Amino acid sequence: MAVDATVAPTTARRSLGEVLGVVFGPVGQLLAFIVGSAASLSLIVVVLALILSSAQPDIMQRVVIILPQVIIDGLVRGFLFATIALGYTMVYGVLEFINFAHGEIFMIGGVVGATVSFLLVSAGALESIPPLVFILLVVLVAMAFCGMLAVTVERVAYRPLRGAPRLVPLISAIGMSLILQDLARLVMTNTPLGFNARYQTPNFGQPIQLFTMQIGERSVPVILSPRDLIFIVAATIMLVVLNYVVNATKLGKAIRATAQDMPTASLMGIDVNRIIALTFLIGGALGGAAGALFGLRIGTVNPYMGLIPGLKAFTAAVLGGIGNITGAMVGGVVLGFLEAFVAAYLSIFTAGNFSGAAYADVAAFSILILLLIFRPSGLLGEATTQKV
Amino acid sequence: MTTSTSSQSLWQRVTAPLSSGPIAYGFLALYVLACSILLVTNPRTELSTDVVFVLFLLSMLVAYRSRVAAWFKVVLGVFALGVVLPYFGTLNPFYIDVATQAGIFTALALGLNVVVGFAGLLDLGYVAFFAVGAYAWGIFSTPQITEINPAWSPVDPVMFYPFLIIGLILGLITGVLLGLPVLRLRGDYLAIVTLGFGEVIRVVANNLDRPINITNGSQGIRAIERPPLIIVDQIRNLGIVADDNRLYQLFFYYLVLIIVLLTVIVVARLKHSRIGRAWEAIREDEVAAVAQGIPRVRMKLLAFAIGASFAGVMGVVFASKQLFINPPTFDLLRSINILAMVILGGMGSIPGAMLGAIIVTMLDLQILPRIAAVLREAQAAGAPIPRQFDPTQYQRLLFGLLLVVMMIFRPEGLWPDERRREEQHEVEITDEELEADKTAKQAGADSGS
C-alpha cells in the first residue's frame, strides 16, 4: 500500500477539512480517470469511424448510437473490477502475496445473495419488502459471510505458510480457490438452488431515461437500468467508506504501517496478525458485496463465475499499481472502459469478423501482459525496488 | 537412494533386508512375477484387478528405490512395462489406456517440472503449449486444412513422425514468444500472466472459426489421423490376429513409453548439467545467481522453452491418440492437474514428478470412478447419498485439497529432491548420519558400476 507521504505523522487530531481531503481526494482522482478514459476512448472510436466511413457510410451513425450505452456499461464493469481489485491490492499491500482465492470470495458473495433471495421467495416475502431494504439485506449478509470466509481462509491456508518461499502460499491459494469453487457447487447442486441459481429481486421499477440523442431523424433514448444505478451507487459508497477507514482512522494507520514494514509495525505495538485478519475481512467483505450486487444485476449466479472477473480484477489492481488502494479503483475503471469498448466496437470495426464479446477477455489479458512489460509499477504506483 | 531421517528408522529396519543384498533380488523377482501372474490370469475390470494393477506399478517404484544392480532394475522394468503390461493390455484395453494416459501426463509433468521445479517459475498456463501441438497435428492431418486454404490438402498420416519434431519446435517457439516478455517479471506475476495466456489460447481456439475457419471453434476437430502402423503386416504374417484398434493401443503405449524414457534421460542430464545448476541457483536466490554471472533471462527462457517443447510433442501424440480435440480439453483445470502432479511428487524431483503423474492419473481415471460406482451401489441399497453427487465431478475439490494440504504439511512433495528436502527441513545432520549416508552412496555407486 503506498503510504501517502503528505499525511503528517502527528498524533494530533486532524481538522475536518483535512479528513475530507484525504477521503475525497482519491475520489476526485477516480472521477478524473473516469472522465478521461471515457472521453479518450470515445475519441479514438469516433476517429476510427471517421477513417472507415469512406468504406462504410453508415458506420459513424452505428458507432455514435451505442456510445452512451457503452460508457454506462464501461462504468458498471469498471466499478465491478474496482471493488474486487481492492481486495487483491489490500492483501498484496500487507502480505506481498496474490490472494488467488479472492475471485471465489466474489462468487460466494453472489451465491449468498441468491440464497437470501431464494429464502425470501420461499417465505413469500420478496415482493412485499421495499427494494432498498432488500438491497441492504443482501449486501450486508454477503459482506458478513464473505468477510468471515476470507478470514477463515487466511487462518487455514495462508497463516501457516507465512515466511515460506513466495510460491508456496500462492499454490495454496490456487488450491483454496479450487476448493471454494467445488464446495459452492456441492452445496448448490444438492440444494434447491441448482447449478445456475436464479437471483430473484423485487421490482426495481422502470429503466431511467437519462436523455435522448438526436441523430439525423432518429431520436435515441439513453437508458440507465435501475440495477446498474444500484451497482454504481453502492460501489461508490463502498469506495468512499474504505478510503475513510484506510486514510483517516487509527485502524487504517495500523494497516498502512503493517504494509510498510511488518516487523517495525509489530515493534510499535501493532498486533500484526490481527491487522492481517482485518485486511482479509475488509477485502472479503468488499468482494462479497460486489458479488451480491453483480449477481443481482445479471440475474443468475453459478459456482464458476468468479474466476474470470477475479483475474481481470487482478489485472486492474496491477494496472493501477498493486498495493495502491486508489490505484486499484482507477485501474478497475480504466480496464472496465477498455473492455466495454472492445466488446462493443470490435465487431463493428472488423465488419463482424471478430466477435467483440469473445475477444474482450483476450484484450484484458493482453493489456495485463503489455502493462507488466512496459510499466510494471502501474498507472499510480511508484517504482519499487525489490527487498533482498 | 537413501532416506536417513530418524523418524523412518523402523520402516528402514523392516525394508532394509528386502532392499539390498541377495534377498532383494529374490524378493523383487517374486513380487513382480506374482503381480504379473495375478494380472494376466484375472483381466476383468474390477476392484481386485485395480488393486493388483496398483501393486504392479508400485513394484517398479520399489525396484527403483532398492539397492540392487542396475542391470537387474532394467530387466525388471523391461519385463514389467515392456512385456507384461502390453500383454495385459490386449486382454483388457481399459488398463493399457490408463497406462498410456499416465505416460502422456508423466511426460507433461516432467516438462512442467523443468519449469516449476528446476527453475522455480510457476507456469499456470502450461496446457497452452500442449494445445498448440495438438491443434497443429489436428489441423494439418484432417480436412480442416482445406478450410484455411482450399488448395491445401491434409498431410499424409506418415508425416506424424516428423510432426513430433514440428510439435516440439512449435512448443519451443510459443514458449520463447511468451517467455521473452514475461520472464523479467517476479514469480507471482508470472503465474498470473501464464494463466491469462492459457485462457487466451483457449478463447482464441474457441473463436477462430471466423473470419477464417482455422480451429473449427467450439465444435473441435474430429477424425484426427493416426500414423500408419509400420510393422503391422509382419505381425499379421506371423499369424497373430489383431484388429486395428488393439494394435493402435499397443502402438501408442510403446510410443509414449519411448517418449517418456527419452524425456527422463534428457531431463536428468539437464538437471545435473551446468544449466541445471544455474536453474537451481536462480530458483534459490535470483539476486545471488545474477551476481555469480548467471544470465538470468536466458536461463529462464531456456527452462520455459524446454518445458513448452515437451508439451508440444505430447500434444501431437495426444491429438492423434484421442482422435478428437476441442477447446475445453485444454482448460485451466488441466494445467492445474499437471501442476498438482508436480507438487504431489515433489518439485524438482524427477522420480517425484513421475510418481505424481501416475498417482493423479490413476486417481482421475480409476479410483474416482471406482468410488463413484461404490457410492452408486450404496445408493441403490438405500444409503442416504444425494443422487446428484458424483465424485468424478469433484476433481477440483480433490486437487485443491491436495495443493493446500501438500503446501502446509509437506511442501517438498512425496518423493522430494534430495537437495531441496534438506533445504526445506534443515534437519541437523549428525556425523553418524553423514557417515551412513556416505557409505550408502558408495554402495549405490558400486552396484551401479
Side-chain angles (χ1 to χ4, degrees), chain A residues 73-138:
Chain A
D73 181 36
L75 203 58
V76 174
R77 285 179 195 236
F79 275 108
L80 170 71
F81 296 150
T83 36
I84 309 174
L86 284 170
Y88 278 107
T89 222
M90 287 183 70
V91 168
Y92 194 91
V94 174
L95 288 179
E96 292 211 354
F97 143 70
I98 299 172
N99 180 14
F100 200 86
H102 191 62
E104 267 49 65
I105 301 280
F106 159 80
M107 173 274 290
I108 287 185
V111 174
V112 169
T115 313
V116 170
S117 129
F118 176 79
L119 291 176
L120 286 174
V121 169
S122 32
L126 188 71
E127 287 305 320
S128 58
I129 58 171
L132 206 61
V133 177
F134 173 79
I135 293 164
L136 270 179
L137 183 70
V138 166

Side-chain angles (χ1 to χ4, degrees), chain B residues 11 17 189 256 409:
Chain B
W11 171 247
Y189 279 0
V256 168
F409 295 108

Side-chain angles (χ1 to χ4, degrees), chain A residues 92 166 181-182 185 322, chain B residues 181 186 188-189 393 396-397:
Chain A
Y92 194 91
R166 283 186 93 92
Q181 280 176 11
D182 254 8
R185 189 161 67 109
I322 194 151
Chain B
R186 267 212 324 270
D188 35 8
Y189 279 0
Q393 298 292 307
R396 282 166 197 256
L397 188 65

Side-chain angles (χ1 to χ4, degrees), chain B residues 89-396:
Chain B
T90 58
L91 302 175
N92 187 336
F94 171 70
Y95 287 99
I96 198 149
D97 193 52
V98 170
T100 313
Q101 288 273 19
I104 289 177
F105 282 106
T106 304
L108 287 174
L110 283 169
L112 186 63
N113 191 32
V114 171
V115 186
V116 178
F118 293 174
L121 309 164
L122 187 55
D123 183 354
L124 294 178
Y126 188 62
V127 84
F129 308 120
F130 187 53
V132 167
Y135 265 101
W137 177 243
I139 291 168
F140 279 92
S141 75
T142 61
Q144 181 68 31
I145 187 107
T146 56
E147 302 270 349
I148 301 172
N149 184 343
W152 295 345
S153 57
V155 297
D156 191 82
V158 81
M159 288 294 282
F160 175 81
Y161 302 103
F163 241 90
L164 289 175
I165 307 296
I166 296 177
L168 185 133
I169 294 168
L170 277 177
L172 196 88
I173 293 171
T174 332
V176 171
L177 282 184
L178 176 68
L180 261 182
V182 304
L183 282 173
R184 287 162 210 277
L185 304 173
R186 267 212 324 270
D188 35 8
Y189 279 0
L190 181 75
I192 300 286
V193 170
T194 49
L195 194 157
F197 177 72
E199 285 294 293
V200 165
I201 286 270
R202 194 176 57 80
V203 170
V204 167
N206 212 352
N207 289 290
L208 221 56
D209 47 352
R210 285 180 314 154
I212 307 168
N213 187 351
I214 297 178
T215 62
N216 207 19
S218 56
Q219 288 167 3
I221 299 175
R222 281 164 202 291
I224 296 170
E225 281 296 336
R226 296 185 287 200
L229 294 170
I230 309 166
I231 50 166
V232 66
D233 291 332
Q234 285 87 323
I235 293 176
R236 291 243 165 82
N237 286 342
L238 287 175
I240 298 167
V241 189
D243 64 306
D244 265 9
N245 273 331
R246 283 282 157 85
L247 282 177
Y248 268 115
Q249 272 170 340
L250 284 179
F251 166 75
F252 278 114
Y253 172 76
Y254 279 115
L255 180 71
V256 168
L257 195 65
I258 291 167
I259 294 180
V260 168
L261 274 178
L262 286 177
T263 315
V264 171
I265 293 169
V266 171
V267 170
R269 299 291 294 167
L270 273 174
K271 183 180 177 179
H272 296 114
S273 73
R274 198 184 165 81
I275 297 170
R277 289 197 303 276
W279 284 335
E280 207 165 331
I282 290 174
R283 181 187 76 202
E284 292 311 323
D285 192 332
E286 237 180 273
V287 179
V290 173
Q292 296 293 319
I294 291 170
R296 180 180 56 160
V297 171
R298 204 193 305 158
M299 280 299 159
K300 282 185 173 184
L301 199 59
L302 196 62
F304 217 67
I306 287 173
S309 54
F310 286 147
V313 179
M314 280 338 259
V316 174
V317 177
F318 181 79
S320 174
K321 177 183 168 293
Q322 297 296 96
L323 308 174
F324 168 68
I325 49 171
N326 63 351
T329 321
F330 308 104
D331 64 355
L332 174 64
L333 191 61
R334 200 165 291 253
S335 287
I336 302 270
N337 197 328
I338 304 168
L339 181 70
M341 294 168 186
V342 174
I343 286 168
L344 180 71
M347 283 186 278
S349 149
I350 294 169
M354 299 173 76
L355 179 70
I358 291 167
I359 291 178
V360 170
T361 316
M362 299 270 283
L363 211 61
D364 231 14
L365 293 179
Q366 269 195 298
I367 298 170
L368 280 183
R370 183 67 61 201
I371 294 171
V374 170
L375 279 185
R376 201 68 63 243
E377 276 167 28
Q379 192 183 28
I385 298 164
R387 215 153 48 81
Q388 294 92 336
F389 182 70
D390 177 2
T392 51
Q393 298 292 307
Y394 287 90
Q395 297 163 341
R396 282 166 197 256

